[in-house]
Amino acid sequence: MKWDIHQFDTLESTNATALLCPVGTVVMAESQTAGRGRYGRTWQSPKGNLYMSLVLPDLGKDNVAVPFLTAVAVADSLPGFDISLKWPNDVLLSGKKLAGILIEKTQDKLVVGIGVNVMTSPEEGILYPTANLAGRLRPMTLAKRILLQYNTLLDLLDKKGFKEIRKRWLGYATGIHKKISIHLADTELQGIFKGIDAKGALLLKQKSGTRTLTVGDVFFNLKDK
Ligand code: BTN
């Protein structure tokens, strides 16, 4: 993909702007006034962190790979840092949330929003402990690395399919074969995290059998850490 980068001082949300742009556009902002998180949550977006959104074509059956591919692209862009990944697409630094990914879909394209705590780790409204890179990279340097990795991984997806992306993601995944709790809208499930299936759904082993989950917040049981 040939990326066309557009930078702004401040936007409501880079995802909102990217939804209006053609495929190949990358929207970046130094800060956001209405950053969007998953499940309608707010993503605190002070200056100093990375806020970027990529516009991809609809990849059809390969759309399932995009959250995982994106998380792997961010992880691959941070060699030397203690990075792990948490289902479906959180990027952790030493076990704490470093980056969030929000994918929005329209009829013919996907917008992939990536927020990385480069300088500060906003806590407010966040469910998990958070981490930051202590300013060791500039947001633009990191953005360029992510775009480079993205192209490599899109190529891999094209040639080998989700299977290979899944393998890379599992290589960074945290908590495999450990006890986890999954918080759904009105209930909580406990079980052993067994990885992801061919469609990217989480496999949770319970006494009654293995369940396949497509939504939910994952928490690791503290005593197993
Ligand atoms: C999450 O809840 O973990 C996902 C957070 C995604 C935040 C990024 S910042 C850039 C892009 N623009 C937004 O409004 N949200 C995403």
Side-chain angles (χ1 to χ4, degrees), residues 59-69 110 157 162 165 198-200:
L59 299 175
K61 68 166 180 31
D62 280 341
N63 282 348
V64 293
V66 174
F68 302 97
L69 185 155
L110 300 176
L157 177 65
F162 177 48
I165 302 294
K199 289 200 171 131

Side-chain angles (χ1 to χ4, degrees), residues 13-15 32 34-38 43 51-53 90 97 100-102 113-115:
S13 152
T14 56
N15 266 30
Q32 300 182 116
R36 301 175 180 174
R38 291 174 63 221
W43 186 257
Y51 311 105
M52 73 190 294
S53 299
D90 283 344
K97 182 155 171 168
I101 293 165
L102 177 70
I114 305 171

Side-chain angles (χ1 to χ4, degrees), residues 144-162:
K144 288 195 170 150
R145 284 194 195 173
I146 292 172
L147 294 175
L148 219 60
Q149 294 300 334
Y150 222 91
N151 279 349
T152 307
L153 292 167
L154 279 175
D155 205 39
L156 189 69
L157 177 65
D158 193 39
K159 294 204 170 92
K160 304 247 169 102
F162 177 48

Side-chain angles (χ1 to χ4, degrees), residues 63-130:
N63 282 348
V64 293
V66 174
F68 302 97
L69 185 155
T70 307
V72 172
V74 175
D76 282 349
S77 301
L78 293 167
F81 288 94
D82 173 22
I83 300 293
S84 57
L85 299 178
K86 184 158 85 69
W87 184 87
N89 50 15
D90 283 344
V91 180
L92 310 181
L93 172 65
S94 303
K96 296 178 177 174
K97 182 155 171 168
L98 174 71
I101 293 165
L102 177 70
I103 298 169
E104 299 188 65
K105 190 177 175 308
T106 65
Q107 257 181 0
D108 57 350
K109 63 193 182 198
L110 300 176
V111 165
V112 178
I114 305 171
V116 184
N117 295 336
V118 170
M119 195 73 93
T120 54
S121 4
E123 297 282 350
E124 202 186 321
I126 296 229
L127 284 171
Y128 316 98
T130 51

